[in-house]
Amino acid sequence: MEIEEAIKRAKENDQKAFNFLLDTFWDDVYGFQLKRIQNENDAEDVTIQSFSRAFDKIATFDDNFKFKTWLITISKNIHIDLLRKEKNSIAQVISKDDKHVYNVLDESPSPEDKLITEQHLAKLLRDIKKLKPHYQEVINLRYFQELSYKEISKQLDEPMSNIKVKLLRAKKLLAEIIQKN
């Protein structure tokens, strides 16, 4: 399959085309992020988010540009957004008369926070149960058992690209279920 053909078929929601594009460009996007982030897990997460956003917005892709460049741009923007969020959540240093005061957020959960978290977790688990079993399984393995993509691939005896696409789809479907509630 040629890249142009895959893009055309992906715009028509062809799963094999999505898999082909993911396999073809995974190393490029992942390598780009690994150089920026220098942490394999974080680079992998940003790469998955990049493909997720790209596949969601594939209808907006302009054929006058290179697909790889478009993907890298999406990936770069996601990383910048994450850095901004991180920067906003980090403690602020306030200087007054040569004395430094550190304004650090107390992020330890209050009893109310714990109760809310437990209620959210229970609701999340109910929402996950609304997914098809194979999507429930990859969500469970990745986020509750905290397995790597390689470990999930080995456990389910499926190629890693299938695991990545399944997880992408599962997260997208779960987000739709959560938004409906």
Side-chain angles (χ1 to χ4, degrees), residues 73-102:
T73 302
I74 289 171
S75 188
K76 184 178 85 175
N77 289 338
I78 287 173
H79 183 237
I80 289 169
D81 289 347
L82 289 174
L83 289 175
R84 283 186 187 133
K85 285 179 188 172
E86 218 173 78
K87 183 180 171 192
N88 289 337
S89 69
I90 293 177
Q92 297 175 351
V93 178
I94 303 168
S95 174
K96 208 179 218 181
D97 300 328
D98 283 336
K99 292 181 184 175
H100 286 77
V101 178
Y102 294 92

Side-chain angles (χ1 to χ4, degrees), residues 63-81:
D63 296 330
N64 294 322
F65 299 98
K66 289 205 175 276
F67 190 74
K68 178 180 167 182
T69 306
W70 185 68
L71 270 174
I72 297 288
T73 302
I74 289 171
S75 188
K76 184 178 85 175
N77 289 338
I78 287 173
H79 183 237
I80 289 169
D81 289 347

Side-chain angles (χ1 to χ4, degrees), residues 121-145:
L121 182 59
K123 183 186 177 313
L124 177 63
L125 291 172
R126 281 193 305 271
D127 289 341
I128 290 172
K129 286 188 193 292
K130 294 176 186 174
L131 294 171
K132 290 182 180 172
H134 60 278
Y135 289 140
Q136 289 179 31
E137 187 174 31
V138 292
I139 292 273
N140 177 37
L141 293 172
R142 179 69 177 152
Y143 297 105
F144 293 98
Q145 295 183 31

Side-chain angles (χ1 to χ4, degrees), residues 22 25-55 57 66-84:
L22 183 78
F25 294 103
W26 176 267
D27 290 341
D28 296 317
V29 178
Y30 176 73
F32 172 78
Q33 283 303 334
L34 192 57
K35 284 179 189 166
R36 291 174 68 106
I37 298 173
Q38 297 177 348
N39 176 306
E40 290 179 4
N41 289 332
D42 292 343
E44 202 169 74
D45 286 343
V46 172
T47 302
I48 287 175
Q49 288 178 38
S50 303
F51 278 97
S52 178
R53 184 162 306 157
F55 291 163
K57 306 283 184 192
K66 289 205 175 276
F67 190 74
K68 178 180 167 182
T69 306
W70 185 68
L71 270 174
I72 297 288
T73 302
I74 289 171
S75 188
K76 184 178 85 175
N77 289 338
I78 287 173
H79 183 237
I80 289 169
D81 289 347
L82 289 174
L83 289 175
R84 283 186 187 133

